[in-house]
């Protein structure tokens, strides 16, 4: 039972990383090209996905949050 859980965890991690590599923009991926990351994640069972998560994944960039009407000062000024 333990072996099945370990194998299932490795397969799920690999699938997660393959999908993440496929959805990433090539210009934001670090260290290696996208096709090489996909190859490493698929062909090197545990080390490939872990390496992708630590070294290849695009860095988080702060996103601009849309302001709601009640947070937009220009909108509120226009109501008066």
């Amino acid at each position: 039972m333990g072996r099945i859980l370990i194998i299932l965890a490795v397969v799920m991690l690999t699938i997660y990383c393959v999908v993440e590599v496929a959805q990433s923009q090539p210009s934001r991926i670090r260290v290696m090209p996208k096709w090489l990351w996909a190859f490493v994640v698929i062909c090197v069972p545990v080390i490939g996905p872990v390496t992708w998560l630590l070294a290849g994944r695009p860095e988080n960039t702060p996103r601009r949050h849309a302001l709601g009407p009640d947070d937009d000062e220009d909108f509120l000024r226009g109501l008066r």
Side-chain angles (χ1 to χ4, degrees):
M1 182 69 177
R3 289 183 187 178
I4 293 173
L5 290 176
I6 292 173
I7 292 171
L8 185 62
V10 169
V11 169
M12 289 174 52
L13 177 65
T14 302
I15 290 171
Y16 173 77
C17 289
V18 166
V19 170
E20 196 171 64
V21 169
Q23 291 179 347
S24 297
Q25 294 176 351
S27 62
R28 296 188 59 218
I29 295 176
R30 300 180 291 162
V31 183
M32 297 186 295
K34 185 175 183 174
W35 65 268
L36 190 55
W37 272 118
F39 180 79
V40 169
V41 166
I42 293 169
C43 294
V44 184
V46 176
I47 298 170
V50 171
T51 306
W52 162 256
L53 293 173
L54 297 176
R57 205 173 188 185
E59 294 177 358
N60 290 337
T61 55
R63 297 182 183 184
R64 287 186 68 194
H65 296 287
L67 294 176
D70 56 340
D71 293 333
D72 188 359
E73 294 178 17
D74 294 330
F75 177 78
L76 293 175
R77 269 189 237 121
L79 293 177
R80 295 181 190 166

